Amino acid sequence: MDSALASDDKAVYLPHTVRVAAKILVVGHFAVGKTTYVGSLSEIRPLRTEETMTQAGALTDDLRGTEDKTTTTVAMDFGRLTLSESLVLYLFGAPGQQRFTRLWRDMTNGALGALVLADTRRLEQSFPVMAVLEEHGLPYAVAVNQFEGSPRFAEPEVREALDLLPETPLVTCDARDRLSSTHALIALVQYLQARQTRSSQEIV
């Protein structure tokens, strides 16, 4: 289990100027790329709680398209991204199997929003994840992680397949690529900001 930060990381400690911390969840079904996504963005060596997969999970863990996968997250992934001198973003990656649903619910506490990673080969497996977020009133954006060899669909087709609201952001990304992952995160943050602005105007 890799659950310790590297001692030689250059930016292990936060600047003393940081005053605000924001929590974002990275969620999605099993083997959709959450650990990879958090790792591509984190400025520190991400905390990972991965264990070797065993035969016990063979009947429940869908490995379509990821037959070479040998480990799975059993608690969470954690990464950090400093956005300014005063603001830091904490990324929490939730395990993908539905048997961890209770943990997902706990992780929604204090979160501003969530980025749902999806795979076009298994779009139907995104519904239980989105249902938990909607149950807790947590806003989210969807990022289709483009695996090699996975089918490509036009945005309206994916949006219809996932039954997304018109205002829910839908983007594509490569979870291995920092720039691509950043664009997906920006789409979520802009959506959260727009929601906050609308709420403030309604109160006034």
Side-chain angles (χ1 to χ4, degrees):
M1 179 183 296
D2 182 5
S3 59
L5 297 177
S7 59
D8 58 349
D9 280 345
K10 296 180 180 179
V12 172
Y13 299 104
L14 282 174
H16 69 278
T17 54
V18 170
R19 295 291 181 269
V20 179
K23 177 182 178 182
I24 295 292
L25 301 187
V26 179
V27 298
H29 57 71
F30 174 72
V32 77
K34 300 177 296 296
T35 297
T36 300
Y37 182 89
V38 172
S40 72
L41 280 179
S42 181
E43 66 194 13
I44 58 174
R45 181 181 175 185
L47 182 151
R48 292 172 175 165
T49 54
E50 289 196 306
E51 292 288 357
T52 300
M53 295 176 61
T54 65
Q55 193 62 33
L59 298 179
T60 58
D61 297 338
D62 187 349
L63 287 172
R64 280 180 293 165
T66 57
E67 288 80 5
D68 294 334
K69 185 175 177 64
T70 59
T71 62
T72 184
T73 299
V74 295
M76 68 175 184
D77 299 308
F78 173 78
R80 192 188 78 200
L81 185 61
T82 302
L83 301 181
S84 69
E85 292 183 353
S86 60
L87 175 62
V88 65
L89 188 66
Y90 292 125
L91 301 171
F92 287 79
Q97 297 94 322
Q98 290 189 42
R99 58 182 177 271
F100 293 111
T101 299
R102 182 174 180 180
L103 177 59
W104 298 351
R105 298 178 192 279
D106 292 340
M107 291 177 69
T108 62
N109 293 328
L112 295 181
L115 184 68
V116 179
L117 293 186
D119 181 350
T120 56
R121 297 166 297 185
R122 297 176 289 168
L123 287 177
E124 75 284 353
Q125 294 186 21
S126 296
F127 286 112
V129 179
M130 295 188 294
V132 172
L133 299 176
E134 291 168 0
E135 177 185 341
H136 289 269
L138 196 65
Y140 61 87
V142 177
V144 175
N145 190 13
Q146 296 187 314
F147 290 90
E148 293 181 9
S150 63
R152 303 291 196 263
F153 299 104
E155 178 181 327
E157 293 180 277
V158 178
R159 185 174 290 278
E160 181 178 2
L162 291 175
D163 194 25
L164 299 179
L165 294 174
E167 63 268 23
T168 302
L170 174 63
V171 298
T172 59
C173 77
D174 182 341
R176 301 167 298 181
D177 182 77
R178 182 178 179 85
L179 181 60
S180 181
S181 296
T182 298
H183 287 161
L185 182 62
I186 290 173
L188 171 62
V189 172
Q190 290 177 335
Y191 174 53
L192 296 178
Q193 290 176 330
R195 283 174 53 92
Q196 182 61 40
T197 300
R198 287 197 301 269
S199 296
S200 299
Q201 292 173 343
E202 292 172 359
I203 293 176
V204 174

